[in-house]
Amino acid sequence: MTSEVDQVEAVGDGSDGPRGRQGPAAPRRAKPIRRLDRVIIRFAGDSGDGMQLTGDRFTSETASFGNDLSTLPNFPAEIRAPAGTLPGVSSFQLHFADHDILTPGDAPNVLVAMNPAALKANIADLPRGAEIIVNTDEFTKRALAKVGYALDPLSDGSLEAYHLHKVPLTALTLEALKESGLARKDAERAKNMFALGLLSWMYHRPTHGTEGFLRQKFAKRPEIAEANISAFRAGWNFGETTEDFAVSYEIPPAKLPAGRYRNISGNLALSYGLIAASRRSGLPLFLGSYPITPASDILHELSKHKNFGVRTFQAEDEIAGVGAALGAAFGGALGVTTTSGPGVALKSETIGLAVSLELPLLVVDIQRGGPSTGLPTKTEQADLLQAMFGRNGEAPVPIVAPATPAECFTAALEAARIAVTYRTPVLMLSDGYLANGSEPWLIPSVDELPEIRPDFATGPNTPDGSFWPYLRDPKTLARPWAVPGTPGLEHRIGGIEKQDGTGNISYDPANHDLMVRTRQAKIDGIAVPPLEVDDPDSQARVLVLGWGSTYGPITAAVRRLRADGAQIAQAHLRHLNPFPANLGAVLARYERVIVPEMNLGQLALLLRAKYLIDAQSYNQVRGLPFKAQQLADVLWAAIGTLEGSDGDE
């Protein structure tokens, strides 16, 4: 582990943990408490071992304690992947600290491995000296052979570089639940709660929240709830009493800006942002969606909020989902459709229709590995060019991309503002890393959120008393939004090219050229904030430019370089179409521009084409986010190359 601040002796009877609720503890020798400034923990096991639930509960208690945190869930696409195999391993990584952090961490300090497959799949990521907690009950000859272990790694000396804790998690769980009346198979399922209790003791996590959660989750089966709570308490008490764990660890709360916080994932933040946009605009929210990983959570969440006027429609397919959302927009609602890359491909014709109709529509793309169905549960940034150009004809669409899980909230508001103000579909590019990852979120005051004004048409807009649907606001080039059924606003609508002003069908070449150029000018004229550049001394020669979820790893890498004396500038794009007006001037200030992306260089391609600069790509498409040290090494090399060329001259 890292940065030991001090070490103190602790004496107590367990009254602050589960043991305190089971009666007085026997006198015991105090265990030392070691204070750290941060730690990275990874829970790993079969996809049926409850690792995501375990990690989520540990994260929730860590958030309530006040630490800053970042998480990385990683799980198979199969509903029930083959047990005991490498493809079936599910993991959850949590990085928490007493200071501001940006990533789920490069390498775990602690690995909880529930079986041999979990150990083998994750051992390469561990640094020397890391702690490994293994469930010895699962290290049978058959299980070892299934993942290619010829010898038992727990006894062959191959783990000597690590602090190994051999814990019979299954047997201890069964012992703790022998009076529960549960069948053996049901009792074994609680071993993840035993592991959670042990880790909660090791890192002084609160326990009341988890017990309350279990009682609520299993309210219809109280015997299951109490069994999980008993296993959780048994794990906590095991840590307190066993000699194998000589110390526990304390990570103090982080010093965050004053306010009320909660832990939030990207998809949950995005859902709340859509609801906020509905309330601030006065428009009813309609979601037309078809389930697809990793976007389905938004449909699930919004379906819970009918009290806010939210209507959710689970369509029979992707095309029906976006068609319903566009129909809702025509009817005066805030129309939204959520999907991932394969769904965007299916929705492209209807998005083009929305461009032609010039109606507000939010298309949320939670990107995943592709092409085709690709890697459903892994992250990627490879839909940028599809978002930019993936429609027939000249069909420009604004693109907004959040940088962090919490920022998905404000990005949803911004996408709604653009869509409603400029009467256009807007594509919002999140990804699996942001969607499933979580961090503390400072809950904003509703009154501080931007107001969104639909400004519906209320009457005829021509001297002769008729209504022309394509007369435009001279500032925004937006056409009027007329709610069907409003007297005097009858007009024709459809996908065939419109005559400027009247909206009548037109095949006139000059009119088509005018309409194409006008729609493009409307997007080009969207007001977006200028690009902010972090260049403390204004002496940097290298700029690292990112977009979307690369923000955390890039910023962490830049911090490392500056701590070692390097001069480097950083900027991050939230608006990808149109680009900020000052982007060209920013790029021209630096001798070298590095663009890290989880694709093969899509933003770099756009920058080279538009600004004629030699933007240099650094790419990976592994289904995982960048590691901060990995980026730091690349940026060091770029700085060193420039300095070396000066020396040659």
Side-chain angles (χ1 to χ4, degrees):
M1 279 169 267
T2 58
S3 302
E4 296 179 5
V5 179
D6 58 21
Q7 182 172 314
V8 296
E9 295 292 321
V11 179
D13 62 359
S15 59
D16 58 346
R19 187 168 194 163
R21 287 184 288 278
Q22 298 179 27
R28 62 181 177 84
R29 187 175 180 181
K31 289 186 177 182
I33 298 174
R34 188 169 298 163
R35 183 172 294 177
L36 309 173
D37 66 352
R38 65 186 179 96
V39 72
I40 303 166
I41 299 173
R42 183 181 296 176
F43 298 92
D46 273 335
S47 57
D49 282 340
M51 294 296 94
Q52 302 306 315
L53 175 63
T54 305
D56 182 69
R57 288 314 313 160
F58 196 92
T59 298
S60 295
E61 299 297 3
T62 296
S64 69
F65 187 76
N67 295 117
D68 195 16
L69 62 89
S70 179
T71 67
L72 177 62
N74 189 5
F75 44 88
E78 291 79 13
I79 294 174
R80 185 66 174 91
T85 66
L86 294 176
V89 173
S90 173
S91 67
F92 189 105
Q93 184 163 306
L94 166 67
H95 182 192
F96 61 103
D98 66 358
H99 57 276
D100 174 42
I101 57 173
L102 299 155
T103 75
D106 287 359
N109 307 118
V110 181
L111 171 66
V112 179
M114 303 297 282
N115 60 18
L119 177 64
K120 189 163 190 177
N122 293 282
I123 190 66
D125 292 337
L126 300 185
R128 292 179 64 87
E131 294 198 60
I132 304 175
I133 302 171
V134 295
N135 179 15
T136 56
D137 293 325
E138 295 296 323
F139 279 70
T140 63
K141 288 184 178 180
R142 182 179 179 183
L144 292 167
K146 189 179 287 189
V147 295
Y149 276 126
L151 299 174
D152 186 349
L154 305 186
S155 57
D156 68 359
S158 61
L159 301 178
E160 289 182 352
Y162 310 102
H163 297 296
L164 180 63
H165 302 279
K166 302 177 186 179
V167 182
L169 291 174
T170 304
L172 290 170
T173 302
L174 291 174
E175 177 65 20
L177 301 184
K178 64 183 180 181
E179 304 297 334
S180 67
L182 294 181
R184 179 186 175 92
K185 187 176 181 180
D186 291 333
E188 283 184 1
R189 290 174 179 160
K191 62 181 180 290
N192 64 324
M193 288 297 104
F194 189 100
L196 178 60
L198 173 57
L199 270 292
S200 297
W201 171 83
M202 284 181 66
Y203 293 98
H204 297 205
R205 299 297 91 184
T207 60
H208 292 79
T210 293
E211 295 192 7
F213 167 83
L214 291 170
R215 288 195 172 96
Q216 182 178 13
K217 180 178 177 63
F218 298 108
K220 295 182 179 179
R221 297 196 64 187
E223 72 280 6
I224 298 294
E226 293 308 314
N228 277 278
I229 291 170
S230 295
F232 176 66
R233 291 177 175 177
W236 198 96
N237 289 330
F238 177 78
E240 184 182 42
T241 57
T242 183
E243 296 298 323
D244 192 34
F245 293 89
V247 297
S248 62
Y249 303 94
E250 182 178 87
I251 295 90
K255 295 180 180 178
L256 300 173
R260 188 179 182 187
Y261 288 79
R262 62 156 295 165
N263 183 49
I264 201 164
S265 68
N267 274 353
L268 184 58
L270 201 156
S271 301
Y272 289 172
L274 292 174
I275 295 171
S278 170
R279 305 297 286 185
R280 297 301 287 170
S281 64
L283 300 172
L285 177 61
F286 178 90
L287 175 68
S289 184
Y290 180 74
I292 184 172
T293 302
S296 299
D297 289 341
I298 303 170
L299 172 61
H300 301 161
E301 182 61 32
L302 289 180
S303 68
K304 303 174 184 176
H305 296 288
K306 297 179 178 67
N307 56 313
F308 287 117
V310 178
R311 294 184 180 181
T312 54
F313 168 54
Q314 181 174 319
E316 65 268 29
D317 56 37
E318 296 280 6
I319 298 171
V322 68
L326 182 57
F330 176 61
L334 182 61
V336 182
T337 189
T338 53
T339 188
S340 188
V344 174
L346 292 167
K347 296 177 190 291
S348 61
E349 184 178 5
T350 305
I351 298 172
L353 175 60
V355 171
S356 177
L357 298 180
E358 300 189 46
L359 284 171
L361 173 70
L362 301 187
V363 181
V364 178
D365 177 4
I366 312 297
Q367 300 167 93
R368 71 189 202 189
S372 188
T373 47
L375 303 171
T377 60
K378 310 302 180 183
T379 194
E380 206 163 275
Q381 287 183 298
D383 293 351
L384 176 56
L385 294 184
Q386 177 178 237
M388 186 74 75
F389 303 119
R391 293 161 296 282
N392 64 296
E394 296 288 346
V397 169
I399 303 171
V400 177
T404 69
E407 201 173 280
C408 290
F409 177 84
T410 52
L413 278 165
E414 173 66 356
R417 177 192 73 83
I418 292 173
V420 171
T421 303
Y422 294 90
R423 312 293 198 247
T424 177
V426 177
L427 262 157
M428 181 175 166
L429 293 181
S430 179
D431 61 39
Y433 172 37
L434 296 181
N436 296 318
S438 62
E439 65 179 350
W441 175 50
L442 177 59
I443 301 174
S445 168
V446 174
D447 295 337
E448 295 173 355
L449 300 178
E451 186 178 6
I452 301 172
R453 299 177 58 87
D455 292 330
F456 289 117
T458 56
N461 56 4
T462 63
D464 65 1
S466 61
F467 175 72
W468 282 15
Y470 283 88
L471 284 182
R472 299 183 182 277
D473 183 309
K475 292 182 179 179
T476 64
L477 297 182
R479 78 170 186 88
W481 191 3
V483 177
T486 305
L489 302 188
E490 297 84 357
H491 61 284
R492 184 176 297 173
I493 209 77
I496 302 297
E497 183 63 281
K498 308 295 184 297
Q499 183 181 47
D500 182 39
T502 68
N504 295 329
I505 292 174
S506 173
Y507 294 98
D508 178 68
N511 178 79
H512 177 55
D513 186 85
L514 173 64
M515 294 297 279
V516 165
R517 294 180 185 276
T518 301
R519 288 189 289 260
Q520 183 66 58
K522 180 174 69 170
I523 304 306
D524 292 342
I526 292 174
V528 303
L531 181 65
E532 297 181 1
V533 182
D534 179 16
D535 187 357
D537 301 321
S538 300
Q539 299 295 317
R541 301 166 65 186
V542 174
L543 170 71
V544 54
L545 178 67
W547 70 277
S549 66
T550 57
Y551 173 80
I554 289 174
T555 307
V558 167
R559 286 182 181 179
R560 294 184 187 193
L561 267 62
R562 289 177 180 169
D564 290 334
Q567 292 180 329
I568 186 167
Q570 178 189 1
H572 207 78
L573 290 166
R574 271 81 171 180
H575 293 83
L576 295 158
N577 193 33
F579 286 132
N582 66 331
L583 177 57
V586 168
L587 297 174
R589 293 207 302 263
Y590 296 93
E591 296 177 45
R592 184 163 297 171
V593 178
I594 311 294
V595 185
E597 297 181 79
M598 292 187 292
N599 56 46
L600 295 182
Q602 297 186 15
L603 174 60
L605 180 68
L606 296 174
L607 297 176
R608 292 187 189 110
K610 185 173 180 65
Y611 300 105
L612 303 180
I613 66 155
D614 184 22
Q616 299 182 14
S617 290
Y618 179 68
N619 312 114
Q620 75 171 32
V621 280
R622 300 176 58 244
L624 295 169
F626 284 107
K627 293 183 178 180
Q629 189 58 51
Q630 174 186 8
L631 288 177
D633 292 342
V634 171
L635 299 177
W636 261 121
I639 294 171
T641 301
L642 284 179
E643 293 176 349
S645 64
D646 290 346
D648 293 340
E649 293 173 1

